[in-house]
Amino acid sequence: MKLKSIVLLSFAVLMSMVSGAVASAQQKEGPDIYEQVQTETDRLQRVLDLEDWQAFYMDSTLMHDFTAMMADYEKLQSSKVTNTSMYQDVQDKWMDQIDATYKKIFTEDQWKAYLKAGAGRLIKAREKRKAKAAGN
């Protein structure tokens, strides 16, 4: 139960990092992405008992994908987009990419723990938003 709580907290931190990144992008203040990525990598390394090589790939993935997500946010902002669903679509796209990479990096047991701790709900929520958008 303690592991589940820690992993849920990790997801909350990750989501707040993403939300904070959106807010910062809209305020023209760049977040310290490196520090956020390092914190999240360290946390999941402890929670999921990741090997050093897994943490390295995770860190690289987050660094690349968060930077790319911020670039997409900046494009929307420079186009004067105010529709929050478009920002949500960008976030969903990059979070799907992160999860796909995590699935390759994590062992089967680590992936199951990751999903059980809250990522499964987040993935289902993204899939539900995609299905709703496709139905419109």
Side-chain angles (χ1 to χ4, degrees):
M1 187 68 173
K2 185 177 180 181
L3 174 65
K4 185 175 181 178
S5 297
I6 293 171
V7 174
L8 281 173
L9 178 62
S10 296
F11 292 126
V13 169
L14 180 60
M15 293 312 293
S16 69
M17 288 171 27
V18 171
S19 297
V22 172
S24 294
Q26 292 176 346
Q27 296 174 356
K28 296 275 186 184
E29 294 177 11
D32 185 5
I33 292 175
Y34 178 76
E35 185 177 307
Q36 293 173 342
V37 166
Q38 188 63 45
T39 300
E40 184 63 15
T41 300
D42 291 344
R43 183 183 331 270
L44 283 178
Q45 185 174 20
R46 284 189 313 271
V47 170
L48 298 176
D49 195 29
L50 300 178
E51 299 288 333
D52 289 340
W53 69 268
Q54 291 173 305
F56 171 79
Y57 281 117
M58 193 181 142
D59 181 83
S60 298
T61 296
L62 290 176
M63 200 60 178
H64 172 268
D65 290 355
F66 279 174
T67 303
M69 183 170 54
M70 292 302 299
D72 286 351
Y73 285 151
E74 289 173 11
K75 286 178 190 174
L76 289 175
Q77 184 184 18
S78 69
S79 298
K80 309 270 189 235
V81 173
T82 58
N83 184 345
T84 57
S85 67
M86 293 181 75
Y87 288 91
Q88 182 68 55
D89 290 345
V90 168
Q91 179 181 333
D92 287 351
K93 170 185 136 182
W94 287 107
M95 294 309 294
D96 283 343
Q97 179 64 35
I98 289 168
D99 284 338
T101 304
Y102 282 0
K103 190 171 184 177
K104 294 176 187 176
I105 296 170
F106 296 163
T107 65
E108 188 175 327
D109 289 339
Q110 290 168 334
W111 179 249
K112 286 178 184 178
Y114 178 74
L115 292 176
K116 285 181 183 178
R121 287 187 303 239
L122 297 174
I123 291 169
K124 286 180 184 178
R126 288 194 305 264
E127 289 171 356
K128 188 175 180 180
R129 283 191 294 270
K130 284 180 197 173
K132 184 178 178 182
N136 289 336

